[in-house]
Amino acid sequence: MALRAALLLTTLALFVACGGLTRPTPEVTTTSQDLVAQTAAKARAAARSDAAPTAAPSRQPDPASNRAPAVGSPAPRPVASSPPPASPSPPPAPPTAAPPKPAAAPSATPPIAFPKGKAITYVAIGASDTVGVGAANPARDGWVPTLYRKLPPGSRLINLGISGAKLSEAVQAQLPKAIEARPDLVTVWNVVNDLNANVDIVAYERDLDRLLRELTGKTGAQILIGNVPDLARVPAYTNLGIPPEELRKEAGRWNQLIARVAQKYPGRVYVVDLYARSAEIEIDEKLVGLDDFHPSAKGYAKLADVFWEHMVAYRLVAPA
């Protein structure tokens, strides 16, 4: 089934290091005590030379020259060692700054999935709105054939929609044919019938996951899946006196489920947020069919526009 609210949709919307100088070693000078000791040594040496052969002179290390001075010679005055040349100061280091934060990797813009002029195979899975019920000429004015006409010339359409189908039935009857067609593009809008029939939401999630898993695993298709629109805008519901808040709360439960399953297939499955779009424009009674439930031809045209705009936003197709 299709909903009036699904048709009320419009366009989507970053220290300075210094080298120290080495201090020179101070000069070593001979003290008066040194001179007295040296004079006494000379006298003892002279006395021994008169009594006995000259013994090998005693040498004391010269701390300055590292040579033993000759006996009887005045102690040489040590020469102060020249200080080593100062090491040249290293060039000042650049100021230490906090390491830059790694730049975020630029998000690569994905290429257009379907280049202009390239014919593609489009498969539609769904229920009565996919068939086009509500339009005077469903084969021409339904949203699926209207979307198909926006595709490049030579593209092929396989509309598998079955009126009244719930998702579990679409998995059984439509999914095998969709895989067999080897599609490039698949649209899935098959949720309102399940909501209306109070289908177990856990079972629906399981069926949706199977549908998307097999489509992504067995075909190379890009997949668009429509969610539940704002049912509180659809006359068939308001005429029954159903509180709008309850309708919106229920739609939210199903839409969270659809978003959760779609997120498991990034880059392949894209949600067409019909609920968000249905709040963007005023209610137009011409957007719903005579049954107050299915879209009219005008409503289907708007719905096709919404799907197309999502295709542009997701870079499946280039802007017109």
Side-chain angles (χ1 to χ4, degrees):
M1 294 185 180
L3 305 174
R4 171 181 177 184
L7 319 169
L8 312 176
L9 316 169
T10 54
T11 52
L12 185 58
L14 179 19
F15 106 155
V16 173
C18 296
L21 297 178
T22 304
R23 298 181 64 182
T25 304
E27 292 188 354
V28 179
T29 58
T30 305
T31 67
S32 59
Q33 291 178 347
D34 293 332
L35 293 176
V36 172
Q38 291 173 15
T39 301
K42 288 180 186 179
R44 289 194 298 270
R48 284 196 300 269
S49 64
D50 292 339
T54 305
S58 167
R59 296 177 181 268
Q60 295 187 5
D62 181 350
S65 63
N66 207 26
R67 290 190 309 175
V71 176
S73 302
R77 189 172 171 148
V79 179
S81 58
S82 300
S87 302
S89 300
T96 303
K101 294 181 180 179
S107 57
T109 302
I112 299 296
F114 306 128
K116 285 185 177 180
K118 181 181 179 181
I120 67 173
T121 296
Y122 166 32
V123 169
I125 292 174
S128 55
D129 56 326
T130 297
V131 173
V133 172
N137 187 339
R140 182 192 65 195
D141 298 331
W143 73 269
V144 169
T146 302
L147 179 62
Y148 164 68
R149 289 194 295 270
K150 297 176 181 288
L151 300 177
S155 294
R156 185 167 64 116
L157 169 63
I158 301 172
N159 190 341
L160 299 175
I162 300 173
S163 292
K166 293 188 286 292
L167 184 63
S168 60
E169 296 164 339
V171 167
Q172 296 300 320
Q174 301 176 45
L175 177 58
K177 295 177 181 179
I179 294 172
E180 184 181 357
R182 303 175 64 183
D184 301 294
L185 171 68
V186 175
T187 59
V188 179
W189 192 23
N190 208 153
V191 58
V192 177
N193 282 351
D194 291 79
L195 185 153
N196 289 342
N198 199 27
V199 167
D200 178 59
I201 199 167
V202 175
Y204 181 90
E205 182 170 5
R206 182 178 60 246
D207 289 335
L208 182 60
D209 190 30
R210 175 186 170 185
L211 178 79
L212 299 181
R213 183 174 64 251
E214 293 202 21
L215 285 174
T216 56
K218 299 179 180 180
T219 77
Q222 301 293 317
I223 303 159
L224 295 170
I225 177 168
N227 65 6
V228 181
D230 186 355
L231 300 179
R233 294 172 171 263
V234 180
Y237 293 90
T238 58
N239 292 343
L240 293 174
I242 302 175
E245 298 78 10
E246 293 300 319
L247 282 171
R248 290 174 175 139
K249 181 178 178 180
E250 187 65 13
R253 292 178 62 229
W254 290 78
N255 288 346
Q256 287 177 358
L257 177 159
I258 290 171
R260 182 168 63 247
V261 178
Q263 286 173 355
K264 296 170 65 174
Y265 305 94
R268 296 292 301 279
V269 178
Y270 308 90
V271 174
V272 177
D273 195 350
L274 301 178
Y275 185 92
R277 299 300 300 275
S278 60
E280 295 178 9
I281 62 174
E282 301 265 341
I283 293 290
D284 183 341
E285 61 184 12
K286 294 181 180 178
L287 295 178
V288 77
L290 295 176
D291 59 3
D292 284 339
F293 183 70
H294 289 95
S296 64
K298 183 178 179 181
Y300 280 133
K302 283 188 174 290
L303 184 56
D305 286 343
V306 171
F307 269 82
W308 179 258
E309 288 157 10
H310 277 73
M311 290 174 67
V312 171
Y314 290 129
R315 296 186 63 78
L316 301 187
V317 293

